[in-house]
Amino acid sequence: AGRKAPEAETLSWFQAAIAALEENRRLHPGDIRVHLAEAQLDQFGAELTKNPRWYMAAEATLTEALALSPDRQQIQYVLAGFKQIVGKPEEAIALLRESIDNDPKVPEGGWRLALMYDGLGRRGEAAAVVAEADRAGIVFPDSINPTIDAIRSADKSGTTRK
């Protein structure tokens, strides 16, 4: 008796964690690691509560982090994902393109941008990103290669993704 339902207990822990991270951010406003942790927790909150406002909170938190560290690719990648979730794919694309422009030798920006274009049904643009990376000698991780190969193959055959 007196024990909370698992959902209520999880929500209580979530609220306590958010409060602790917000306090940590107040104490250490320039520490982007706290911003990243809070954004991850916001994502969990969106899944836990089925309330998309948490995705928007994550977007705002990461936008603040990006202002503190404008060339930090990790922030660009995660923020781009949240931009796509909240219906801002062009902003997400711009962030990924900026990450590539900042350091074209890092493969992650290229494969993330190619996959984003492909996910949006823009296979021609995805193929252009892959071709750009190929010309630059960028090697994508093995885990991504099957998808990248499918983009290459579809581009050569002229098929589009539905």
Side-chain angles (χ1 to χ4, degrees), residues 8-61:
E9 192 170 341
T10 301
L11 185 58
S12 177
W13 279 103
F14 167 72
Q15 291 167 334
I18 285 288
L21 281 170
E22 286 173 348
E23 175 64 10
N24 200 343
R25 226 169 38 141
R26 188 186 68 72
L27 293 171
H28 309 285
D31 188 345
I32 61 167
R33 296 171 300 175
V34 178
H35 290 76
L36 288 162
E38 189 171 333
Q40 286 179 313
L41 195 56
D42 288 339
Q43 181 177 9
F44 174 74
E47 294 163 7
L48 175 68
T49 66
K50 308 296 185 239
N51 186 338
R53 87 169 182 85
W54 291 106
Y55 289 128
M56 292 178 266
E59 178 194 15
T61 298

Side-chain angles (χ1 to χ4, degrees), residues 36-111:
L36 288 162
E38 189 171 333
Q40 286 179 313
L41 195 56
D42 288 339
Q43 181 177 9
F44 174 74
E47 294 163 7
L48 175 68
T49 66
K50 308 296 185 239
N51 186 338
R53 87 169 182 85
W54 291 106
Y55 289 128
M56 292 178 266
E59 178 194 15
T61 298
L62 291 170
T63 299
E64 184 180 308
L66 190 61
L68 294 169
S69 186
D71 295 332
R72 180 80 178 256
Q73 289 171 321
Q74 180 184 15
I75 298 169
Q76 292 169 319
Y77 302 150
V78 178
L79 180 55
F82 283 109
K83 294 276 189 190
Q84 186 175 19
I85 288 169
V86 301
K88 299 177 182 177
E90 295 308 316
E91 291 181 29
I93 288 166
L95 279 166
L96 294 174
R97 175 52 63 193
E98 185 178 331
S99 79
I100 294 167
D101 293 345
N102 287 344
D103 192 346
K105 294 296 180 192
V106 176
E108 191 166 352
W111 67 254

